[in-house]
Amino acid sequence: MDVGFVITCFRRSNSGKGGHYRSCLTVARAMCRHGHKATIFCLGDFFPEALRNEVVEVRLLRVGYFRLRRGLGKLCECLREYQVDVLHAYNPTAYIYARFASAICGVPVVLTKPGGPTIKSSYYPLAKDIIVNSADDESVFLGNQRFSKSRISLFPNRVDEPVHRVGRVEELLALLAPNLFSILAISRITESKRLLFVQILNLADEFRRRSIQFQLIIIGTPDSQMVKDYIEGRLGSESKLLTDLPFTEKSADYIPAVDCVLGMGRVVMEAAACSKPVLVPDCQSNYPRVLDGTSFDAGFCANFTERASYPKVAAGDALEILERLARVPGQREGVGTYLRQRFVEDFLIDSIVAKQVGVYENAVIESKMFTFDQLSHVFDYFFVAVLRLWRRKVRHKLFSGNPHSINNE
C-alpha cells in the first residue's frame, strides 16, 4: 500500500497545527515500518519544523492560501510521479485539495478529523471514509444524516515510543529549583484550552494555601492574547510561562525533567511513555484530575481532552489525591508505572496499523462510488470556508480595538 498524506502548512496557521503534523508523521512512520510506502505532501508556504530530518519523505508544495488551482496542479503532478494508491488528508483544507485531485487522478481519499474541539457545525466536508480520534467526534458524525453513507472509524490517537533529543532535558532543568515538586503543562494557549489553564492555576493557588512547595512550568504557543494575559495575571513567583519557539517546538523532549505533566491528547501519551504521572482537565471540577485506574478509560474515549466525563470525586477527595501526588514520591512512582503499562497496551501506533491499512484498502475497493455527492459538498464547503475567513477578517478590523478579558472561572 502506497499512501500519500496531505496536510496544509500555511504561515497564518503554523502555531495551531504542530499536533497535526506529528500525528500525520507518526502514522506515516508506522506504515513504513510495516512494509508500506508513505509520502507526506505539505501544501503551504513554509516547511513544518516537526517534519524535518525524518526518514519519511516530505514534499513541500509551495502555494498561497487561496491559490487552489496552483496547489491542485502540483499535487496532481506528485500523484502521477509517486503513483500512490490512496490519499489521506489530515484537515478539512487539505481534504479540499485532495478531493479535487482525487477526481482528476482517480485516487481515493480518506479524511481524518483531527483532535481538538468537537465539531460544532454539521457543515463539514463529506467523505466516504472518515477517521476520528475521539468518541465525541464519532457520535457527531454518526448522528448526522448527511454522513449516513460514510464509514466512520474511531482510532484514538497513537504515538511512537519517544526519542528525546540530547540536551533538551538539561535546558529545562536549568530553569527549575532542585528538590521541588515540578509540574510541566504543555498546551497551545488558546480559548479552546482555557479550562486546562484555569484548573492548573486553581491548583497552584490551593498548593500555596496548603504550604506545598512546587514549581509550575507552562509551555505553549500563544494563539490567544487574552488567554496568555490571563495566565500571566495569575502566575506566582514559582511559576514560569515559556512561549518562545525553542521551547514550544517538540516540547515533549522536556517531559523527563519534571515530576508530573499536565496536558491533553498526545501530551498524555508522551508523558505515559516516560512513566510520569499525568493531570488532565476535568469539566466537572475546579481542579485537574489525576489519570489513574479509575479515570483512564473515560479519558481514553475522549482522547484525553477537556470533554472527557470522569467519575465524580468530591472536591476534598480530589485535592487530597493531588496533595499526596505532590508530597509522596512513592505515589508518583505508582501512578507513573501504571501509565507506562497502559502506554504499551493502548498508545503505541503499531497496534492499529493493520486497522488503518484496512481503511485504505476499503477506500481503494470503493473508489468509484460516492463521487458526485462528495465533490458537490466539497465545492460548497470551500466557498463557505472562504466566506467565514472573510467574515473573521472583517470582524477583527471592526472590533480589534475593543478590550477583552477573561473574568469568569
Short mmCIF file of all heavy atoms in Angstrom, two decimals, residues 188-227:
data_model
loop_
_atom_site.label_atom_id
_atom_site.label_comp_id
_atom_site.label_asym_id
_atom_site.label_seq_id
_atom_site.Cartn_x
_atom_site.Cartn_y
_atom_site.Cartn_z
N ARG A 188 -1.30 24.36 23.62
CA ARG A 188 -1.50 25.62 22.92
C ARG A 188 -2.25 26.58 23.82
O ARG A 188 -3.18 26.18 24.53
CB ARG A 188 -2.29 25.43 21.64
CG ARG A 188 -1.47 24.96 20.45
CD ARG A 188 -2.24 25.15 19.16
NE ARG A 188 -3.49 24.39 19.16
CZ ARG A 188 -4.61 24.83 18.65
NH1 ARG A 188 -4.69 26.03 18.13
NH2 ARG A 188 -5.69 24.08 18.65
N ILE A 189 -1.88 27.84 23.81
CA ILE A 189 -2.56 28.84 24.62
C ILE A 189 -3.67 29.44 23.77
O ILE A 189 -3.48 30.41 23.04
CB ILE A 189 -1.56 29.91 25.10
CG1 ILE A 189 -0.46 29.24 25.92
CG2 ILE A 189 -2.26 30.99 25.92
CD1 ILE A 189 0.67 30.16 26.31
N THR A 190 -4.83 28.83 23.87
CA THR A 190 -5.96 29.20 23.04
C THR A 190 -7.24 29.09 23.84
O THR A 190 -7.28 28.43 24.88
CB THR A 190 -6.03 28.31 21.78
OG1 THR A 190 -7.10 28.71 20.95
CG2 THR A 190 -6.22 26.85 22.16
N GLU A 191 -8.29 29.72 23.37
CA GLU A 191 -9.54 29.74 24.12
C GLU A 191 -10.10 28.34 24.32
O GLU A 191 -10.69 28.04 25.37
CB GLU A 191 -10.57 30.61 23.38
CG GLU A 191 -11.88 30.79 24.11
CD GLU A 191 -11.73 31.48 25.45
OE1 GLU A 191 -10.86 32.36 25.58
OE2 GLU A 191 -12.48 31.12 26.39
N SER A 192 -9.93 27.46 23.35
CA SER A 192 -10.47 26.11 23.48
C SER A 192 -9.77 25.31 24.57
O SER A 192 -10.29 24.29 25.04
CB SER A 192 -10.35 25.37 22.14
OG SER A 192 -9.00 25.18 21.78
N LYS A 193 -8.56 25.73 24.99
CA LYS A 193 -7.83 25.05 26.05
C LYS A 193 -7.89 25.82 27.37
O LYS A 193 -7.11 25.56 28.29
CB LYS A 193 -6.36 24.87 25.63
CG LYS A 193 -6.17 24.17 24.30
CD LYS A 193 -6.61 22.72 24.35
CE LYS A 193 -6.55 22.06 22.98
NZ LYS A 193 -5.25 22.09 22.34
N ARG A 194 -8.78 26.76 27.46
CA ARG A 194 -8.86 27.64 28.62
C ARG A 194 -9.05 26.86 29.92
O ARG A 194 -8.44 27.17 30.95
CB ARG A 194 -10.01 28.62 28.43
CG ARG A 194 -10.21 29.57 29.60
CD ARG A 194 -11.36 30.54 29.30
NE ARG A 194 -11.59 31.45 30.39
CZ ARG A 194 -12.36 31.17 31.44
NH1 ARG A 194 -12.97 30.01 31.52
NH2 ARG A 194 -12.52 32.06 32.41
N LEU A 195 -9.90 25.82 29.89
CA LEU A 195 -10.19 25.05 31.11
C LEU A 195 -8.91 24.47 31.71
O LEU A 195 -8.74 24.46 32.93
CB LEU A 195 -11.19 23.94 30.80
CG LEU A 195 -11.56 23.02 31.97
CD1 LEU A 195 -12.32 23.80 33.03
CD2 LEU A 195 -12.38 21.83 31.48
N LEU A 196 -8.03 24.00 30.87
CA LEU A 196 -6.78 23.42 31.34
C LEU A 196 -6.00 24.43 32.17
O LEU A 196 -5.50 24.12 33.27
CB LEU A 196 -5.96 22.95 30.14
CG LEU A 196 -4.60 22.30 30.40
CD1 LEU A 196 -4.34 21.23 29.33
CD2 LEU A 196 -3.47 23.32 30.35
N PHE A 197 -5.87 25.66 31.68
CA PHE A 197 -5.10 26.68 32.40
C PHE A 197 -5.81 27.15 33.66
O PHE A 197 -5.18 27.37 34.69
CB PHE A 197 -4.81 27.85 31.46
CG PHE A 197 -4.00 27.47 30.26
CD1 PHE A 197 -4.53 27.52 28.99
CD2 PHE A 197 -2.69 27.03 30.41
CE1 PHE A 197 -3.79 27.15 27.88
CE2 PHE A 197 -1.93 26.65 29.30
CZ PHE A 197 -2.49 26.72 28.04
N VAL A 198 -7.12 27.31 33.58
CA VAL A 198 -7.87 27.72 34.77
C VAL A 198 -7.67 26.71 35.89
O VAL A 198 -7.40 27.07 37.05
CB VAL A 198 -9.37 27.86 34.45
CG1 VAL A 198 -10.20 28.02 35.73
CG2 VAL A 198 -9.61 29.05 33.53
N GLN A 199 -7.74 25.42 35.58
CA GLN A 199 -7.67 24.40 36.62
C GLN A 199 -6.27 24.26 37.19
O GLN A 199 -6.11 24.08 38.41
CB GLN A 199 -8.18 23.06 36.07
CG GLN A 199 -9.67 23.09 35.76
CD GLN A 199 -10.26 21.72 35.57
OE1 GLN A 199 -9.56 20.73 35.35
NE2 GLN A 199 -11.58 21.64 35.67
N ILE A 200 -5.24 24.35 36.37
CA ILE A 200 -3.89 24.21 36.93
C ILE A 200 -3.54 25.44 37.77
O ILE A 200 -2.84 25.33 38.80
CB ILE A 200 -2.84 23.98 35.82
CG1 ILE A 200 -1.50 23.59 36.44
CG2 ILE A 200 -2.68 25.18 34.93
CD1 ILE A 200 -1.53 22.35 37.30
N LEU A 201 -4.03 26.61 37.40
CA LEU A 201 -3.78 27.80 38.21
C LEU A 201 -4.59 27.77 39.50
O LEU A 201 -4.14 28.25 40.54
CB LEU A 201 -4.08 29.06 37.39
CG LEU A 201 -3.12 29.27 36.21
CD1 LEU A 201 -3.61 30.39 35.30
CD2 LEU A 201 -1.71 29.58 36.70
N ASN A 202 -5.79 27.18 39.44
CA ASN A 202 -6.55 26.95 40.68
C ASN A 202 -5.77 26.02 41.61
O ASN A 202 -5.72 26.24 42.83
CB ASN A 202 -7.91 26.33 40.37
CG ASN A 202 -8.89 27.32 39.76
OD1 ASN A 202 -8.66 28.52 39.80
ND2 ASN A 202 -9.98 26.82 39.20
N LEU A 203 -5.20 24.97 41.04
CA LEU A 203 -4.42 24.02 41.84
C LEU A 203 -3.19 24.70 42.44
O LEU A 203 -2.83 24.45 43.60
CB LEU A 203 -4.01 22.83 40.99
CG LEU A 203 -3.20 21.75 41.70
CD1 LEU A 203 -4.00 21.14 42.84
CD2 LEU A 203 -2.76 20.66 40.72
N ALA A 204 -2.54 25.57 41.66
CA ALA A 204 -1.37 26.29 42.18
C ALA A 204 -1.76 27.14 43.39
O ALA A 204 -1.04 27.18 44.40
CB ALA A 204 -0.77 27.16 41.07
N ASP A 205 -2.93 27.82 43.30
CA ASP A 205 -3.39 28.61 44.44
C ASP A 205 -3.64 27.71 45.67
O ASP A 205 -3.29 28.08 46.80
CB ASP A 205 -4.70 29.33 44.07
CG ASP A 205 -4.48 30.45 43.07
OD1 ASP A 205 -3.32 30.89 42.92
OD2 ASP A 205 -5.45 30.87 42.42
N GLU A 206 -4.21 26.55 45.46
CA GLU A 206 -4.51 25.64 46.57
C GLU A 206 -3.22 25.09 47.19
O GLU A 206 -3.12 24.96 48.41
CB GLU A 206 -5.38 24.49 46.06
CG GLU A 206 -5.88 23.55 47.14
CD GLU A 206 -6.79 24.25 48.14
OE1 GLU A 206 -7.51 25.19 47.76
OE2 GLU A 206 -6.77 23.86 49.33
N PHE A 207 -2.23 24.78 46.34
CA PHE A 207 -0.94 24.33 46.86
C PHE A 207 -0.30 25.40 47.74
O PHE A 207 0.31 25.09 48.78
CB PHE A 207 -0.01 23.96 45.71
CG PHE A 207 -0.22 22.57 45.17
CD1 PHE A 207 -1.18 21.72 45.70
CD2 PHE A 207 0.56 22.08 44.12
CE1 PHE A 207 -1.38 20.44 45.21
CE2 PHE A 207 0.38 20.81 43.62
CZ PHE A 207 -0.60 19.98 44.16
N ARG A 208 -0.42 26.65 47.34
CA ARG A 208 0.15 27.73 48.17
C ARG A 208 -0.56 27.80 49.52
O ARG A 208 0.08 28.00 50.55
CB ARG A 208 0.04 29.06 47.43
CG ARG A 208 0.88 29.17 46.17
CD ARG A 208 0.85 30.57 45.58
NE ARG A 208 1.32 30.54 44.20
CZ ARG A 208 0.52 30.58 43.14
NH1 ARG A 208 -0.79 30.68 43.30
NH2 ARG A 208 1.02 30.53 41.92
N ARG A 209 -1.89 27.66 49.50
CA ARG A 209 -2.65 27.70 50.76
C ARG A 209 -2.26 26.56 51.68
O ARG A 209 -2.30 26.69 52.90
CB ARG A 209 -4.15 27.67 50.47
CG ARG A 209 -4.72 29.00 49.98
CD ARG A 209 -6.23 28.99 50.02
NE ARG A 209 -6.79 28.13 48.99
CZ ARG A 209 -7.11 28.55 47.77
NH1 ARG A 209 -6.90 29.81 47.41
NH2 ARG A 209 -7.63 27.72 46.89
N ARG A 210 -1.89 25.42 51.10
CA ARG A 210 -1.52 24.25 51.89
C ARG A 210 -0.01 24.17 52.16
O ARG A 210 0.48 23.15 52.64
CB ARG A 210 -1.98 22.98 51.18
CG ARG A 210 -3.49 22.90 51.03
CD ARG A 210 -3.94 21.59 50.42
NE ARG A 210 -5.40 21.52 50.33
CZ ARG A 210 -6.11 20.41 50.48
NH1 ARG A 210 -5.50 19.25 50.74
NH2 ARG A 210 -7.42 20.43 50.37
N SER A 211 0.70 25.22 51.77
CA SER A 211 2.16 25.29 52.00
C SER A 211 2.91 24.15 51.34
O SER A 211 3.88 23.61 51.89
CB SER A 211 2.46 25.32 53.50
OG SER A 211 1.84 26.44 54.10
N ILE A 212 2.46 23.76 50.15
CA ILE A 212 3.15 22.73 49.37
C ILE A 212 4.16 23.42 48.47
O ILE A 212 3.81 24.30 47.68
CB ILE A 212 2.15 21.91 48.53
CG1 ILE A 212 1.16 21.18 49.44
CG2 ILE A 212 2.90 20.92 47.64
CD1 ILE A 212 0.06 20.45 48.68
N GLN A 213 5.41 23.04 48.58
CA GLN A 213 6.46 23.62 47.75
C GLN A 213 6.41 22.99 46.37
O GLN A 213 6.52 21.77 46.23
CB GLN A 213 7.83 23.39 48.39
CG GLN A 213 7.99 24.02 49.76
CD GLN A 213 7.89 25.53 49.70
OE1 GLN A 213 8.54 26.18 48.89
NE2 GLN A 213 7.06 26.09 50.58
N PHE A 214 6.24 23.82 45.35
CA PHE A 214 6.11 23.29 43.99
C PHE A 214 6.62 24.34 43.00
O PHE A 214 6.90 25.49 43.35
CB PHE A 214 4.65 22.98 43.68
CG PHE A 214 3.80 24.20 43.43
CD1 PHE A 214 3.50 24.61 42.14
CD2 PHE A 214 3.34 24.97 44.49
CE1 PHE A 214 2.74 25.75 41.91
CE2 PHE A 214 2.58 26.10 44.27
CZ PHE A 214 2.28 26.51 42.98
N GLN A 215 6.73 23.93 41.76
CA GLN A 215 7.05 24.85 40.68
C GLN A 215 6.28 24.41 39.43
O GLN A 215 6.16 23.22 39.14
CB GLN A 215 8.55 24.91 40.40
CG GLN A 215 9.21 23.56 40.27
CD GLN A 215 10.71 23.63 40.43
OE1 GLN A 215 11.34 24.65 40.11
NE2 GLN A 215 11.31 22.56 40.92
N LEU A 216 5.73 25.37 38.74
CA LEU A 216 4.91 25.12 37.56
C LEU A 216 5.55 25.76 36.34
O LEU A 216 5.87 26.95 36.35
CB LEU A 216 3.50 25.69 37.77
CG LEU A 216 2.56 25.74 36.55
CD1 LEU A 216 2.26 24.33 36.05
CD2 LEU A 216 1.27 26.48 36.90
N ILE A 217 5.72 24.97 35.29
CA ILE A 217 6.23 25.46 34.02
C ILE A 217 5.15 25.25 32.97
O ILE A 217 4.69 24.12 32.76
CB ILE A 217 7.52 24.72 33.58
CG1 ILE A 217 8.60 24.80 34.66
CG2 ILE A 217 8.02 25.29 32.25
CD1 ILE A 217 9.12 26.18 34.89
N ILE A 218 4.73 26.32 32.31
CA ILE A 218 3.73 26.24 31.24
C ILE A 218 4.44 26.53 29.92
O ILE A 218 5.06 27.59 29.76
CB ILE A 218 2.58 27.23 31.46
CG1 ILE A 218 1.84 26.91 32.77
CG2 ILE A 218 1.60 27.19 30.29
CD1 ILE A 218 0.74 27.90 33.11
N ILE A 219 4.33 25.60 28.98
CA ILE A 219 4.92 25.77 27.66
C ILE A 219 3.81 25.73 26.62
O ILE A 219 3.02 24.77 26.59
CB ILE A 219 5.96 24.68 27.35
CG1 ILE A 219 7.12 24.76 28.35
CG2 ILE A 219 6.48 24.82 25.93
CD1 ILE A 219 8.18 23.69 28.13
N GLY A 220 3.74 26.75 25.78
CA GLY A 220 2.71 26.74 24.75
C GLY A 220 2.82 27.91 23.80
O GLY A 220 3.36 28.96 24.14
N THR A 221 2.32 27.70 22.60
CA THR A 221 2.27 28.77 21.60
C THR A 221 1.06 29.66 21.86
O THR A 221 -0.06 29.16 21.95
CB THR A 221 2.17 28.18 20.18
OG1 THR A 221 3.28 27.31 19.95
CG2 THR A 221 2.15 29.28 19.13
N PRO A 222 1.25 30.97 22.01
CA PRO A 222 0.13 31.85 22.36
C PRO A 222 -0.73 32.20 21.16
O PRO A 222 -0.50 33.20 20.47
CB PRO A 222 0.84 33.08 22.93
CG PRO A 222 2.16 33.10 22.26
CD PRO A 222 2.54 31.68 22.00
N ASP A 223 -1.76 31.41 20.90
CA ASP A 223 -2.72 31.71 19.84
C ASP A 223 -3.75 32.74 20.28
O ASP A 223 -4.40 33.35 19.45
CB ASP A 223 -3.44 30.43 19.41
CG ASP A 223 -2.51 29.48 18.67
OD1 ASP A 223 -1.39 29.89 18.35
OD2 ASP A 223 -2.92 28.33 18.42
N SER A 224 -3.94 32.89 21.58
CA SER A 224 -4.91 33.85 22.12
C SER A 224 -4.21 34.77 23.11
O SER A 224 -3.72 34.33 24.14
CB SER A 224 -6.06 33.12 22.81
OG SER A 224 -6.87 34.02 23.55
N GLN A 225 -4.17 36.05 22.78
CA GLN A 225 -3.55 37.01 23.68
C GLN A 225 -4.33 37.14 24.97
O GLN A 225 -3.76 37.36 26.04
CB GLN A 225 -3.44 38.38 22.99
CG GLN A 225 -2.68 39.42 23.80
CD GLN A 225 -1.23 39.03 24.04
OE1 GLN A 225 -0.55 38.50 23.15
NE2 GLN A 225 -0.73 39.25 25.27
N MET A 226 -5.66 37.01 24.90
CA MET A 226 -6.49 37.11 26.10
C MET A 226 -6.15 36.01 27.10
O MET A 226 -6.01 36.26 28.30
CB MET A 226 -7.98 37.05 25.73
CG MET A 226 -8.50 38.27 25.02
SD MET A 226 -10.29 38.20 24.78
CE MET A 226 -10.43 36.81 23.66
N VAL A 227 -6.01 34.78 26.60
CA VAL A 227 -5.69 33.66 27.48
C VAL A 227 -4.28 33.81 28.02
O VAL A 227 -4.01 33.53 29.20
CB VAL A 227 -5.87 32.32 26.75
CG1 VAL A 227 -5.50 31.15 27.66
CG2 VAL A 227 -7.30 32.15 26.26
#
